[in-house]
Amino acid sequence: MDNTAVLKSSKANYQEGQNIYNRINKRRRAIFFIVLCSLIVATLIDLMVGPAWLKIGDVISALRFGPEAETINSAIVWSVRLPMTFTCLCVGASLGMAGTQMQTILANPLASPYTLGISAAAGFGAALSFLTGFPFLGISWLSVPISAFLMSLLASLAIYGLGKAKGMHARTMVLFGIVITFFFQALQSLVQFRASPEVAQQIVFWMFGSLLKSTWTGVFVSSSIFLIASIVLSRYVWQLTSLSAGEERARSLGINTDRLRLKVFIISAFLTAGAVAFVGTIGFIGLVAPHCARMLVGEDQRFLTPLSALFGVLLMVTASVIAKIVIPGVVLPIGIVTSLVGVPFLLYLIVRRT
Amino acid sequence: MITMKISEFGVSYQRKMILSNISAVLEGGNLASIIGPNGVGKTTFIKGIAQLIKSHGHVILKDSDGKILSWDNIAYVPQMTTATTDLSVFEMVLLGRVKNLKWKVEQHHIDAVTQILSELGLLSLSYNSFSRLSGGQRQLVTMAQALVAKPRVLLLDEPTSALDLRHQLQVLDIAQQYTKQTGAITLVVLHDLALAARYSDYILLLNKGGLAKEGLPKDVLNPALLQKVYQVEVDVSVSSEGYTTVTPIRPSVAC
């Protein structure tokens, strides 16, 4: 560094600056491309794997000829595997994105939909619906996802309301999230205690988080929320990048951090609600995916947010494959697999930080 | 030339008045220092001016035609804090233009960052992670981040704290040169009275609750007034190089 050079008036070499900027982003684009390719491969494997193993050629021809082709392979791919794989895509992307945003706005590496109690609230909503059996708009199968969706929004609202009353400080909001987690877990236990053995079993199965509950309706709802959230968030990428450099710094750059936190928190709440309402509690994706992405591309949210979504999907699809091959002929609830993978990672993070 | 008119300015927190009744007029091309003992509200004052905290009274910024300028023309550099971000130096400076950045960064923003990094001799650090820089380098990058937006008013909160002598001079040289070259107004919170004497065109001396004195350095930095405000006997002299030095002698008896 030339310490004697202070505000030299000469023209800079702009090409050099352009080269620096290009080089910073070139590596990130390459990583993005590699993860995307890995994801395509993992998705194809997920379509091949299951109680009935299909060859890659069978999968491709079933995809080519569409659901109208009246073959067994077509029925397996279009009616069973594709809804599950698409659910993986939507849920993984939504949880990955929501996790990144929560960690950014709360400046806490352990913030995620799971650790903030939003998933626990969804669990209680679902349990309540199983217990009461109240049909939503006369459609009984919609009552569980709707109830889970509404309860996760309610939990987010509670965390936000309590946080706002205390000045939207990141640490306070995380602590409120922990309180919310315990509160909804207690309520859910109460519902389970009151429920008949059959209903209690349904609740427990829901809490595992399973792709067997996948439906095209669920895919449509969560993908719509994800698309809208992506479009809205793309407007705030630079503000969020500034926030990741520190609250004080972001405020000094003229960003209304409280308002930004509010908007992004609401978006994250919808993403989480849309993701967990249809498949149940999926832990650790929202925690692990952002860390993987951050380690590879840093804090620039133009890369971090989409890559977190991609990692969320990659983790979900990989977990889905594992869930199908661990016990032949049985599909393990994916929530169990994601948690088993997530726990060591969480331990690694804590050990690394301390 | 721009002017900043501060009138009846004050800040209260939880119904307690921290600062009140501060009035001053600052003109473009001038660097003004805010000095005073710990806890009198120097940072509160500069944050109030930056509209980062609620304040009362008026702060009006006008250009040479008398047209009122918006607060987008102000850049505030906070006290140096620990940085945990792994953003590169180039990206940190780019964030100085955060309000105008789109998804695809336009060429003129990249050129502006290149220009300011070249001017400050920091281009070679472009790839470095901001959090791994030394304190002095971090402060220079933070200055670059503020200057890349070409602010009409530059607010610096204790920019020399935790810096060695060389970097103290470098940071204030940059602030002074920017002020003179662009006709901006610069307000700097300083603890070191010798630096305040050396770089300031104007000094605001704060004491508990408000303004003790404002004016030219030679008027504000007088031993009797400093003793009254700081509760310390001081000697104010001029060095052989022509710089004013303020030497604390001993705490006042009343202290």
Side-chain angles (χ1 to χ4, degrees):
Chain A
M1 185 175 63
D2 180 5
N3 280 320
T4 55
V6 174
L7 281 183
K8 287 186 288 189
S9 55
S10 59
K11 280 265 177 189
N13 181 354
Y14 293 136
Q15 190 53 47
E16 192 182 347
Q18 183 65 54
N19 292 343
I20 290 168
Y21 180 73
N22 289 345
R23 210 178 301 164
I24 288 171
N25 291 322
K26 193 176 168 188
R27 191 178 148 271
R28 293 169 173 166
R29 286 198 194 95
I31 289 167
F32 197 85
F33 181 73
I34 292 166
V35 176
L36 190 65
C37 290
S38 314
L39 178 60
I40 292 168
V41 173
T43 304
L44 282 172
I45 294 171
D46 189 46
L47 287 171
M48 290 158 60
V49 172
W53 285 65
L54 301 178
K55 290 176 185 160
I56 182 76
D58 297 336
V59 172
I60 291 169
S61 62
L63 289 173
R64 263 181 63 200
F65 294 115
E68 292 80 22
E70 291 175 356
T71 60
I72 295 172
N73 288 347
S74 169
I76 290 172
V77 169
W78 284 94
S79 303
V80 183
R81 303 263 169 97
L82 268 182
M84 285 166 74
T85 304
F86 269 92
T87 303
C88 277
L89 299 182
C90 299
V91 171
S94 298
L95 292 178
M97 191 182 268
T100 305
Q101 299 313 329
M102 285 178 176
Q103 287 173 12
T104 303
I105 59 171
L106 299 178
N108 191 314
L110 294 180
S112 79
Y114 194 66
T115 49
L116 282 180
I118 301 174
S119 299
F124 168 66
L128 200 64
S129 175
F130 282 123
L131 182 73
T132 57
F134 184 76
F136 185 80
L137 298 174
I139 309 168
S140 58
W141 69 268
L142 255 183
S143 67
V144 173
I146 293 283
S147 179
F149 187 87
L150 292 178
M151 208 53 77
S152 14
L153 286 188
L154 189 72
S156 311
L157 215 66
I159 298 168
Y160 173 73
L162 290 165
K164 190 161 175 61
K166 287 289 171 191
M168 293 297 287
H169 298 303
R171 188 175 292 185
T172 319
M173 288 181 75
V174 172
L175 290 174
F176 282 138
I178 293 168
V179 172
I180 293 287
T181 307
F182 286 125
F183 176 66
F184 279 107
Q185 277 176 351
L187 286 180
Q188 190 215 316
S189 301
L190 182 69
V191 170
Q192 260 176 285
F193 179 71
R194 296 283 302 156
S196 65
E198 293 76 25
V199 171
Q201 196 180 12
Q202 280 181 302
I203 294 170
V204 169
F205 188 70
W206 195 91
M207 293 304 297
F208 285 159
S210 172
L211 290 173
L212 293 175
K213 293 185 279 262
S214 303
T215 59
W216 284 112
T217 312
V219 169
F220 175 75
V221 171
S222 49
S223 63
S224 304
I225 293 174
F226 177 77
L227 280 178
I228 294 166
S230 304
I231 292 165
V232 177
L233 280 175
S234 68
R235 291 180 56 205
Y236 301 115
V237 281
W238 285 109
Q239 293 188 24
L240 287 162
T241 305
S242 307
L243 191 58
S244 70
E247 169 92 19
E248 176 88 351
R249 202 168 287 278
R251 282 167 60 80
S252 75
L253 291 169
I255 294 164
N256 186 335
T257 52
D258 287 351
R259 199 179 297 164
L260 178 66
R261 203 169 271 140
L262 165 65
K263 288 175 189 167
V264 175
F265 192 79
I266 291 171
I267 294 167
S268 306
F270 269 97
L271 278 169
T272 308
V276 298
F278 288 91
V279 290
T281 311
I282 307 280
F284 291 99
I285 297 286
L287 182 69
V288 176
H291 283 287
C292 297
R294 195 174 283 111
M295 274 192 274
L296 291 172
V297 296
E299 296 287 354
D300 185 337
Q301 293 273 341
R302 293 175 305 159
F303 294 92
L304 176 61
T305 303
L307 194 68
S308 295
L310 278 191
F311 262 111
V313 177
L314 188 60
L315 288 169
M316 275 292 282
V317 174
T318 310
S320 164
V321 172
I322 294 170
K324 285 189 275 190
I325 60 175
V326 169
I327 306 170
V330 175
V331 181
L332 276 180
I334 193 167
I336 295 174
V337 181
T338 59
S339 295
L340 281 175
V341 174
V343 168
F345 190 83
L346 184 62
L347 201 63
Y348 163 73
L349 278 180
I350 294 167
V351 170
R352 205 178 71 149
R353 282 189 170 262
T354 52
Chain B
M1 185 169 49
I2 61 165
T3 53
M4 180 192 272
K5 192 174 177 194
I6 304 167
S7 43
E8 304 292 318
F9 182 85
V11 178
S12 46
Y13 181 68
Q14 292 182 340
R15 294 184 190 166
K16 190 184 164 198
M17 195 71 87
I18 295 170
L19 290 171
S20 64
N21 210 19
I22 297 177
S23 297
V25 177
L26 304 171
E27 293 192 335
N30 283 335
L31 187 149
S33 295
I34 302 156
I35 60 170
N38 285 336
V40 295
K42 299 185 293 296
T43 295
T44 304
F45 176 65
I46 207 165
K47 278 188 171 175
I49 298 285
Q51 294 193 342
L52 291 173
I53 53 174
K54 279 184 187 167
S55 60
H56 49 84
H58 302 283
V59 182
I60 297 168
L61 193 61
K62 285 183 179 173
D63 67 7
S64 50
D65 303 327
K67 197 177 128 198
I68 293 177
L69 298 172
S70 82
W71 243 237
D72 286 345
N73 290 286
I74 289 185
Y76 167 76
V77 177
Q79 279 182 34
M80 199 153 63
T81 49
T82 50
T84 52
T85 179
D86 63 358
L87 285 170
S88 65
V89 165
F90 198 92
E91 291 167 302
M92 279 300 282
V93 177
L94 187 63
L95 287 179
R97 295 193 153 209
V98 67
K99 287 179 189 163
N100 302 313
L101 291 177
K102 293 177 183 155
W103 185 281
K104 185 176 181 342
V105 178
E106 290 160 299
Q107 188 62 46
H108 64 97
H109 294 308
I110 296 170
D111 291 348
V113 173
T114 311
Q115 180 72 36
I116 195 72
L117 284 174
S118 300
E119 286 176 1
L120 297 184
L122 296 168
L123 202 59
S124 60
L125 295 177
S126 293
Y127 296 110
N128 291 38
S129 167
F130 178 74
S131 57
R132 293 198 188 129
L133 298 179
S134 70
Q137 289 171 332
R138 265 215 300 266
Q139 191 64 0
L140 289 177
V141 172
T142 306
M143 289 286 286
Q145 189 184 56
L147 298 183
V148 77
K150 300 200 186 323
R152 307 288 295 272
V153 176
L154 184 60
L155 306 173
L156 307 173
D157 191 1
E158 294 193 33
T160 56
S161 64
L163 294 189
D164 61 24
L165 292 175
R166 182 191 179 95
H167 282 102
Q168 286 181 15
L169 294 184
Q170 200 176 1
V171 164
L172 288 174
D173 277 340
I174 292 165
Q176 190 178 49
Q177 284 188 37
Y178 180 78
T179 310
K180 301 298 173 200
Q181 280 174 12
T182 62
I185 294 170
T186 297
L187 264 172
V188 194
V189 173
L190 284 175
H191 265 300
D192 188 324
L193 300 185
L195 288 176
R198 177 170 173 162
Y199 286 97
S200 309
D201 300 301
Y202 204 77
I203 292 181
L204 303 168
L205 173 61
L206 298 188
N207 200 2
K208 276 179 189 143
L211 198 58
K213 174 88 176 166
E214 49 147 338
L216 300 174
K218 65 180 174 58
D219 298 328
V220 177
L221 298 176
N222 78 70
L225 181 60
L226 294 177
Q227 183 175 348
K228 189 179 158 197
V229 172
Y230 284 90
Q231 304 283 297
V232 169
E233 287 178 33
V234 296
D235 175 54
V236 179
S237 55
V238 178
S239 72
S240 55
E241 296 271 348
Y243 296 119
T244 302
T245 58
V246 181
T247 313
I249 309 295
R250 66 183 72 83
S252 298
V253 179
C255 193

